[in-house]
Amino acid sequence: MFSIFKANPVKKLNKQLDLKLEQAMHAQRNGDIKAYAQLSLEADLIEKQIQHLQISR
């Protein structure tokens, strides 16, 4: 009944994904390959969480 008041977890994860991808881009541009690899891995994990949530709906 009050589902309109529930937070959308996919929306929150999409914001986190965008932030991680932007951070990875800046790390790559600065030549910090280790940080780029770590941030890319974290972005990939967030993307998998988003896919899992979308499938379970």
Side-chain angles (χ1 to χ4, degrees):
M1 180 175 165
F2 292 103
S3 63
I4 61 171
F5 298 116
K6 289 184 181 179
N8 187 354
V10 175
K11 201 178 224 184
K12 181 180 176 183
L13 286 172
N14 276 327
K15 286 182 182 181
Q16 288 178 355
L17 177 63
D18 289 341
L19 180 65
K20 288 292 179 188
L21 290 174
E22 185 176 350
Q23 289 173 345
M25 177 192 66
H26 289 297
Q28 184 182 29
R29 286 185 179 176
N30 290 332
D32 191 354
I33 302 303
K34 287 183 181 180
Y36 170 71
Q38 180 64 34
L39 290 166
S40 295
L41 176 66
E42 291 173 13
D44 188 48
L45 293 174
I46 293 171
E47 191 171 3
K48 287 180 183 179
Q49 288 178 344
I50 292 170
Q51 289 174 356
H52 178 71
L53 286 173
Q54 288 177 340
I55 290 173
S56 65
R57 282 187 170 200

